[in-house]
Amino acid sequence: MARLKKAASRLQNSPLHAIVGLDLVVTGMILLTHHQYFFWPPWPEWITAVENNIVVGLIGIVTGFDMIYWAVSPKKSINLNRKLIPTASAYFTLLAVTEFLHGF
């Protein structure tokens, strides 16, 4: 019980990492289960094949769990944080641009 209280107090120090991590995990799970989520652009077909690949969902899940781990861990590694923030930003940018182009 004491370990859980310590983890909760560490989580309160960096809640944004946990929120973004949870969003990444959920988004990655959605992309992992929907194999034809992306349908734009219609050509070339290799772009939609790459975006609908399992790897795209796994990157979101792994990055999300790592961000949650970083938020809960007692030792906050700056090097890990410097890798997680750009990875999450690039992931969300890729998804946002693709979703925007669906509507455009």
Side-chain angles (χ1 to χ4, degrees):
M1 190 68 169
R3 291 177 65 188
L4 189 59
K5 286 183 181 181
K6 286 180 183 179
S9 68
R10 287 191 297 263
L11 188 60
Q12 290 177 350
N13 292 334
S14 55
L16 289 178
H17 277 77
I19 292 168
V20 170
L22 183 63
D23 187 21
L24 281 165
V25 169
V26 170
T27 303
M29 292 293 278
I30 289 170
L31 293 177
L32 195 63
T33 57
H34 294 91
H35 299 290
Q36 297 298 322
Y37 187 81
F38 295 107
F39 56 87
W40 188 93
W43 51 269
E45 292 182 16
W46 66 270
I47 293 176
T48 54
V50 169
E51 288 178 336
N52 286 320
N53 198 343
I54 292 173
V55 175
V56 175
L58 290 176
I59 289 171
I61 293 170
V62 169
T63 306
F65 279 132
D66 284 347
M67 287 191 84
I68 294 170
Y69 168 77
W70 189 91
V72 176
S73 70
K75 182 183 175 199
K76 310 262 192 248
S77 170
I78 300 299
N79 288 332
L80 180 61
N81 194 31
R82 287 181 181 161
K83 292 178 177 104
L84 289 174
I85 297 296
T87 304
S89 299
Y91 189 78
F92 282 134
T93 301
L94 171 74
L95 295 179
V97 166
T98 306
E99 291 288 335
F100 175 72
L101 291 174
H102 275 172
F104 187 67

